[in-house]
Structure formats: C-alpha cells, structure tokens
Amino acid sequence: MPHKKEEIKDELYGDAVREKIEEFAERGWDSIPEEEREEWFTRFKFWGVFHQRSGQESYFMMRLTNCGGVLKPDQLRAIGEVAREYATGPAENPEWGNGWIDLTTRQSIQLHWLNLEDIPEIWEKLESVGVSSRSAGGDTMRNISGCPVAGKAEEFIESRPILDEIQETIRDDDELSNMPRKFNISVSGCKQGCAQDSINDIGLEPAYKREDGEMRKGFNVRVGGGLGGREPRRARPLDLFIPPEKAVETVREFVEYYHEHGNRQNRSKNRARFFVDEHGTETIREDLNDRLEFEFEPAGTHFREEYTYNAGKPPEEGPHDHVGVYEQRDGLNYVGLSVPVGRLTAKETIALANLAGEYGSGEVRLTRRQNPIIMDVPDDNVAPLLSEPLLEEHTPEPSPFVRGAQACTGTEFCSIALTETKVRMARMLRWLRNNTDLPDDVNRIKIHYSGCTADCGQAMTADIGLQGMRARKDGEMVEALDVGVGGGIGADPSFIEWVHQRVPADEVPVLIKEIVEAFAAHREEGQTFREWVEEFGVEPLTDMTDPAESDYEDATLTDAKQAWYPFAEGDSPAPTDPDGTPISADD
Amino acid sequence: MSHRVLDVTAYTTFDYLQGGASGLDWDEDGIVVLNVESDEEEGVVRLSTELDPTDVQRLDQHADHVELFPDQARTLASTLREAADRVEEEVDDE
C-alpha cells in the first residue's frame, strides 16, 4: 500500500502547489483548515516553503535554490533585502539578532520567520532577479551540486554547461517533480572533488580513457551515496564511463528509473542509497544499458586519489575548501570568505553583495561548506577588498577552528533535532580559539555539528564530528553530544568513530581541546588530523581524554528541546498575524 | 565505523533510558535508546532498542528489535499500563 504521503502528492504536487500557496497567503494563515495543515505543509515544501516547528505556528522557512551555488549579480542583494524586511520573528537570536540568512551545505540559502501572507511578495522580489525556491524541498530533486567555481577555476572537464542543462531539462521538468524521496545530483569537473559526489544519489566524477595515444575525457558514474543516521553510504561505482555529451541523458535515465521503480511504501528505506542496496549496481547498470541507446563502456581512470576537498590531506597537496584568495583561469581572482556556521545578518548579506559588485563582477557563489565566494576580482582590487570590515569579520584567513566549522539548523527551528547547534557552535569556536594552541602548520580542523542522527550538518565526514543527543547531569536532562573523530571525504570517504557519547554540552569544549592537544602532541610533523586518527586509533584517544566543565558557558544546556524558541523566555506568541500580533485560539 | 544503528531524533520514542545487557555470568549497564515505529508495509509494529555502543564492551554494536502484530502491540500496551499502575500503587502505599 502506498505511503499516505504518496496519496497527498498524488492529489496535488509540483508546480501546481504554487497557486494554492498564493491563495492561502491572500486569505491569511487562518484560512488553512487545521485538519488539513499537515498535508498542505507536505506540499508546500516542493516550493521551498517549510512551516516552522511546534511553538512557531504561522511562521515559515524558505529555502532558495540555484544550480551549483551560483548567484548572479544583484541576486544576493535581493536576498539580503528580503531577509531584512521579512525574515524577522517574535524573538531575537542572541548571536545574530533578527533578520539573517543561513548558507547551507548544499550551496543554498534559507530564510526564517517568514509570514505566509508575505510569501507572494517575497517571490516577486526574488524572482525579479532570477532567484527561485522551486524544488527546494519535499520529494524532489534538490540543489544540483557542483564545484562552486566551475567555469572560473581550472577544470579537467567543463561542468557548467552540463549542470545548467541538468537544471533546465531534468530538475525543472514538472513530470519528474514527484520523486519517491528527495534526490541529490552532483557533477564534478575539477580534480579537487568539491561537489562531493560520494555522498549524492547520482554523482558524475571526472575521468578519462587513453586510447591510441589520445586522451578522451568524460565522467565515471556513481550512485547511491548519502549521509543520514541510518546507514550512511558512499556512492558506489557503476563501472561506467560516459563522454560529456551523454552526461545529461544518463542522469535523466537514472532519475526516471528511480522515479518509476523507487519504493513508495516505506519511507524509512526508500532513499536512492537503499534502492541501490536493493537492486545492486550490476542490475542497475544492465537496466540503464537497456534504457540508453549508446554503447556502455567500463569506468575510466579517475582522480579520486588526488581529491583534496575535505580529504584530510596536507595543505601543500591542494585546497581543502574555497576559503582564501585563488586565481581564476581568466587571470582574475576569487575570494572565499569564512562565515562561522554559515549565518550572515541581513546587513552583512547586503554589504557582501555590494562588495562583490564594487570589487568583482557582482557574482557570488556558495560552497558546500556554508561559505560565500566573491568572484572575478582583478589583482588590484584584492588588497582593498581584503581590508574591508566585512572581510576582517569573515576573513579569508580564519582561525583553524572557524575555517573548518559547519552546523545544521538545530532545535532553533528544526522539529527533529535534539539540540541547539549554531549558537553553541559559534560560542564553542570562540572558546576554542582563545584556549587551544595548535601547531603552526595546522590551519584547519573540521568540526561539523548535527543536532541529531539525521546528520544534516555532515558530522559523519568531519575531523571531529558532533551529533546532538541527551544525557542526565546533576539530576536533570541536558543537551548532550556524541563526539567522534576521523571522518572525511576524498578518495576514500570515511565516517567518524565515537570517542565519547552523551557528553553534556557544557563539557564538550574541554573534550575537543583535549582531543586537539593529543593530536598536537602525538602527530608526526606534517600529519593532518585525519591521517593521525587513522594511525593513532580511537581507543587510546578515548582513554586519554575526558569531558569537563570550564569557563565556557552554554546558552541552552537544559533546554533539551522543550521551549518554543531556545533563547526566549515565556510563552510563544505564535500563531501571529503578519504584524506579530498573536492570533487568539478562541477566534 | 561506529555510528548508531537506530536514528535518534526528537521523534524517537525514548532517547535516554537506563538499561543494560546480561549474559550467563555477566551484566553491563548502559544507556538505551528505545523506538516504536509502525511498518505499514509489513503490517507490524516494530519495537527496537540499542545500547550506547561506548557503554558495553562485550558486545559488538547492534540494535535489537521485535515485531508485533497490532493485537500483540495492544496486549503489550495494556500489560505495560497495568504494570505501571501497580508500580505507582506500590509507591503510593509506601
């Protein structure tokens, strides 16, 4: 029997949902019948409109989309202006106040505290500069991820035209809007591995074949990768090499194949990674071979051993991320900022857009590590750009901890998270910066924080991974973290192993400090954190480290998912009118 | 790789319970995650438990589960309710 979400989607999904959102917005929050809310909110997600969690009724998050992280000139400014005007809630965040944006790990942007009534105006403003929220959530193709500097930096094979064509002909196709579950596509053209094809449902990675002294460039195809609590998977090779001109139709065929045959009954086991488990790569390859008209050939030679992006390799082997100043192939430069946990105030967002226009072409791109990049900066503009206040704040030369930090949304807005994440991470980073010495040649330690085992913050692939949990301390339940080490992507993705579990949140900074100091004391010169963990092992690290309290103060230690907003006192005003006036339940 | 076998989110039935594992001549205490979910496809209620992997040294990391048909799940629920009532009555009597 199909899952009940399938019935909801069968009735109405995809592009047609938009008209209903506009109707509800016109008539106001109250016009959505209470008993129908769940089904409408399921549908709204296709258009990137997410009802916030319990206690925040009538407020919505909007996720914006793009392809490969590219924001054209003026797009970021419009997003910043929308954040300033509309993304303001009934309570302030202690670090970022009210009106800010979140950069995501899928090269996207999220806006919170939006009122339903304002959504059409927000769309109008964003769409006037070409920004959409279509297909940003629900059971659909999510942001197609690619190297964020594709087309600008050196690539083995051009990926931008392929990314754009996949966006236009596959993701934008309403016929394919209702997938069995969310679906992730990535295309890498560079040799760094920064589109992270290993954690996507289908990933194309650059490869080549050498025949008769000639090199033929193309892609190897991998399928069925993904993080997430239950059984993370690396994408598995199909032993299939395709020339670039066959890339789009191959991706389309796999999307259609999963669209037709994916499980629509059991949502706990129907992501494409389980589909690949079930059918096996050999059968999938054979079926795709039957469906596609060109001749299949075995995988070509790939560059996975050279991948440096979050690969835990020493800095001299290549960039781990896009933070810093790098030369483009056209002689201009791109300047990657480091934004701790990916959150920018509306004011900073607009300032960033202005700086991009003043010193570069106006184009801004987004990475998979919650950071923005200012593109097309001429040599003469680099120094003045770097001396701007915003770049001193979100400097391209950040502390090793800040540079490696990312965090999911957490209990601030997410209904499935167990702990708050972003404020805690920001404050832990400050504490670590002030209290921990790192060897001079270590310029990054990747700490990723997810509020639960769904792992949207990608803790599984961090040097030090944190996952939200709960524990008992001094007789009460507190927010706690599982702390693990040794994850990474690169040629051979590895997932973290736990060092300590259920560590009360206020004891985590000391534990991280001890882990990092053990690394500093026992590493061989030049060894990265990941290399060291692999050699040193996790058990000795468990034995030699202990969580402990310190002068770090945790803002939400005892909140443990109870409050309507982790940083607010008192009762929730929600649901409210667009002007913030509570709507009485008696009305 | 040592990630948890069971998902632990705000939707998990219990993310923190006291429990343990016992063998013929050993006992180890630990923290347990317990989750109840309905598997519509199989027509069963699945009750799963997992000890925190770092708590118990003797066992490889794993989760246990039991599948209950709906009437069995209801029997379990009423047995639990009765047992809970008895515990509370005894506490009240003290």
Side-chain angles (χ1 to χ4, degrees):
Chain A
M1 196 175 74
H3 193 275
K4 79 173 178 194
K5 278 207 171 147
E6 287 299 323
E7 290 170 29
I8 292 171
K9 292 189 295 173
D10 269 351
E11 210 175 302
L12 186 81
Y13 208 60
D15 288 344
V17 174
R18 171 145 176 156
E19 209 175 300
K20 293 301 294 185
I21 298 176
E22 287 170 340
E23 266 177 49
F24 285 126
E26 172 77 30
R27 305 206 311 259
W29 158 256
D30 263 354
S31 68
I32 310 174
E34 205 169 326
E35 64 282 9
E36 292 178 19
R37 277 181 196 161
E38 194 187 336
E39 66 180 84
W40 283 115
F41 297 159
T42 293
R43 296 185 182 113
F44 286 7
K45 288 179 189 172
F46 178 81
W47 273 95
V49 177
F50 296 72
H51 184 244
Q52 290 183 189
R53 69 172 173 86
S54 164
Q56 302 170 357
E57 288 77 9
S58 81
Y59 289 98
F60 290 80
M61 181 272 278
M62 182 183 281
R63 184 182 298 146
L64 307 176
T65 68
N66 60 58
C67 177
V70 177
L71 292 174
K72 298 196 178 80
D74 299 331
Q75 292 188 334
L76 187 66
R77 183 177 302 101
I79 294 167
E81 286 168 3
V82 165
R84 184 180 58 192
E85 198 169 335
Y86 301 99
T88 55
E92 288 201 350
N93 180 288
E95 290 282 322
W96 294 278
N98 227 331
W100 34 260
I101 69 168
D102 278 340
L103 308 176
T104 77
T105 55
R106 209 170 172 83
Q107 302 176 290
S108 178
I109 290 179
Q110 296 184 165
L111 301 163
H112 286 90
W113 291 128
L114 306 178
N115 290 109
L116 180 63
E117 293 82 349
D118 293 329
I119 300 284
E121 253 175 64
I122 291 168
W123 273 336
E124 198 181 328
K125 187 157 172 78
L126 294 176
E127 288 170 1
S128 72
V129 292
V131 175
S132 172
S133 63
R134 182 190 175 277
S135 191
D139 296 341
T140 185
M141 283 169 269
R142 304 297 182 82
N143 255 15
I144 298 159
S145 73
C147 171
V149 291
K152 299 287 185 179
E154 286 302 330
E155 278 182 290
F156 177 71
I157 185 162
E158 286 280 331
S159 61
R160 257 335 302 178
I162 295 167
L163 285 162
D164 289 335
E165 200 180 331
I166 292 173
Q167 172 73 36
E168 284 160 27
T169 64
I170 307 177
R171 191 176 181 214
D172 285 349
D173 184 350
D174 195 38
E175 292 291 313
L176 294 170
S177 61
N178 178 5
M179 302 289 284
R181 273 303 277 283
K182 75 168 171 180
F183 190 89
N184 290 331
I185 301 170
S186 90
V187 181
S188 307
C190 70
K191 295 184 189 174
Q192 279 82 46
C194 54
Q196 301 190 320
D197 53 80
S198 57
I199 53 173
N200 279 271
D201 293 312
I202 180 166
L204 304 186
E205 60 176 359
Y208 64 90
K209 294 231 160 180
R210 208 176 277 286
E211 286 152 6
D212 307 327
E214 294 274 308
M215 181 197 269
R216 276 197 303 130
K217 296 181 175 183
F219 297 97
N220 284 347
V221 183
R222 287 184 176 245
V223 294
L227 299 175
R230 206 193 290 251
E231 305 166 59
R233 295 278 192 283
R234 310 160 189 173
R236 283 142 280 178
L238 281 186
D239 189 22
L240 172 61
F241 174 85
I242 52 169
E245 63 274 14
K246 302 293 182 195
V248 176
E249 60 184 282
T250 305
V251 170
R252 184 172 183 103
E253 212 52 55
F254 185 67
V255 170
E256 288 186 359
Y257 180 66
Y258 173 66
H259 185 263
E260 288 163 26
H261 298 288
N263 181 327
R264 289 181 187 265
Q265 280 93 45
N266 183 353
R267 292 181 67 83
S268 67
K269 280 272 184 194
N270 73 344
R271 284 292 306 275
R273 63 179 184 272
F274 299 119
F275 180 78
V276 173
D277 288 357
E278 197 182 323
H279 295 256
T281 47
E282 276 179 35
T283 308
I284 291 172
R285 191 183 195 278
E286 278 168 27
D287 287 352
L288 287 178
N289 200 5
D290 290 343
R291 296 167 70 113
L292 283 159
E293 281 173 8
F294 63 90
E295 197 72 24
F296 271 22
E297 49 185 319
T301 308
H302 58 71
F303 299 96
R304 303 184 76 76
E305 273 69 38
E306 294 177 37
Y307 282 8
T308 52
Y309 194 82
N310 189 20
K313 288 185 180 175
E316 59 273 15
E317 290 195 27
H320 281 220
D321 53 30
H322 299 89
V323 174
V325 182
Y326 299 88
E327 194 177 347
Q328 297 178 184
R329 64 186 185 202
D330 56 7
L332 298 171
N333 305 277
Y334 67 85
V335 179
L337 282 65
S338 176
V339 175
V341 302
R343 188 165 284 180
L344 281 171
T345 65
K347 198 173 160 191
E348 288 174 331
T349 308
I350 294 165
L352 174 62
N354 290 340
L355 293 176
E358 197 175 328
Y359 295 100
S361 62
E363 190 168 294
V364 171
R365 295 194 179 187
L366 306 175
T367 77
R368 296 209 59 180
R369 298 194 53 83
Q370 304 181 326
N371 285 321
I373 308 171
I374 296 175
M375 303 302 296
D376 309 317
V377 182
D379 287 344
D380 290 348
N381 282 357
V382 171
L385 171 61
L386 293 177
S387 62
E388 287 283 349
L390 184 73
L391 277 85
E392 284 176 11
E393 175 73 25
H394 298 304
T395 171
E397 292 180 346
S399 86
F401 293 113
V402 169
R403 179 172 193 153
Q406 57 185 47
C408 74
T409 297
T411 49
E412 185 178 19
F413 299 109
C414 174
S415 58
I416 73 165
L418 286 172
T419 69
E420 197 281 324
T421 51
K422 288 196 188 264
V423 167
R424 175 170 293 135
M425 185 77 158
R427 291 181 178 181
M428 286 200 310
L429 292 173
R430 278 203 291 272
W431 190 90
L432 288 167
R433 195 179 56 201
N434 294 333
N435 290 280
T436 310
D437 287 326
L438 279 172
D440 288 342
D441 64 328
V442 174
N443 65 1
R444 68 209 75 190
I445 296 280
K446 293 192 165 64
I447 306 179
H448 300 179
Y449 183 4
S450 293
C452 72
T453 59
D455 205 30
C456 301
Q458 303 180 345
M460 278 292 145
T461 54
D463 286 328
I464 301 177
L466 312 173
Q467 274 188 351
M469 198 51 59
R470 296 203 304 153
R472 189 167 283 281
K473 177 172 178 168
D474 301 333
E476 64 180 329
M477 291 306 293
V478 294
E479 297 200 358
L481 280 69
D482 280 355
V483 179
V485 296
I489 302 277
D492 185 20
S494 61
F495 300 121
I496 53 169
E497 291 202 32
W498 301 119
V499 180
H500 292 275
Q501 293 188 293
R502 299 190 193 263
V503 180
D506 60 340
E507 300 177 22
V508 170
V510 166
L511 174 60
I512 296 176
K513 175 183 159 74
E514 290 195 1
I515 291 171
V516 170
E517 284 176 351
F519 161 63
H522 295 279
R523 73 195 276 259
E524 283 165 30
E525 200 178 330
Q527 209 168 25
T528 67
F529 189 88
R530 186 181 179 191
E531 290 166 343
W532 173 72
V533 169
E534 200 177 331
E535 195 178 296
F536 193 75
V538 174
E539 270 185 46
L541 195 54
T542 303
D543 293 340
M544 64 199 292
T545 54
D546 286 303
E549 290 178 8
S550 62
D551 59 353
Y552 162 80
E553 284 184 26
D554 197 88
T556 51
L557 183 64
T558 56
D559 175 67
K561 79 181 182 183
Q562 301 302 323
W564 70 275
Y565 188 65
F567 314 106
E569 305 270 327
D571 294 336
S572 169
T576 74
D577 281 336
D579 65 4
T581 313
I583 301 169
S584 164
D586 301 332
D587 285 350
Chain B
M1 184 163 62
S2 76
H3 59 90
R4 289 171 187 275
V5 178
L6 296 185
D7 286 336
V8 190
T9 71
Y11 295 160
T12 303
T13 312
F14 288 106
D15 54 38
Y16 186 104
L17 294 172
Q18 294 291 345
S22 306
L24 288 177
D25 56 356
W26 61 271
D27 283 295
E28 285 196 67
D29 291 336
I31 308 298
V32 180
V33 173
L34 184 152
N35 193 44
V36 175
E37 62 182 350
S38 39
D39 184 335
E40 288 104 348
E41 198 178 13
E42 300 292 328
V44 295
V45 172
R46 188 172 295 110
L47 190 153
S48 310
T49 60
E50 181 181 5
L51 273 159
D52 275 9
T54 50
D55 278 355
V56 179
Q57 306 308 317
R58 280 186 177 78
L59 301 173
D60 284 340
Q61 189 188 343
H62 72 288
D64 296 301
H65 66 267
V66 54
E67 285 174 0
L68 303 162
F69 292 115
D71 57 339
Q72 293 172 322
R74 287 192 191 93
T75 303
L76 175 64
S78 70
T79 308
L80 287 171
R81 204 169 287 120
E82 285 160 22
D85 289 346
R86 279 198 300 278
V87 168
E88 282 180 342
E89 280 162 23
E90 279 178 29
V91 170
D92 291 344
D93 289 346
E94 278 170 11

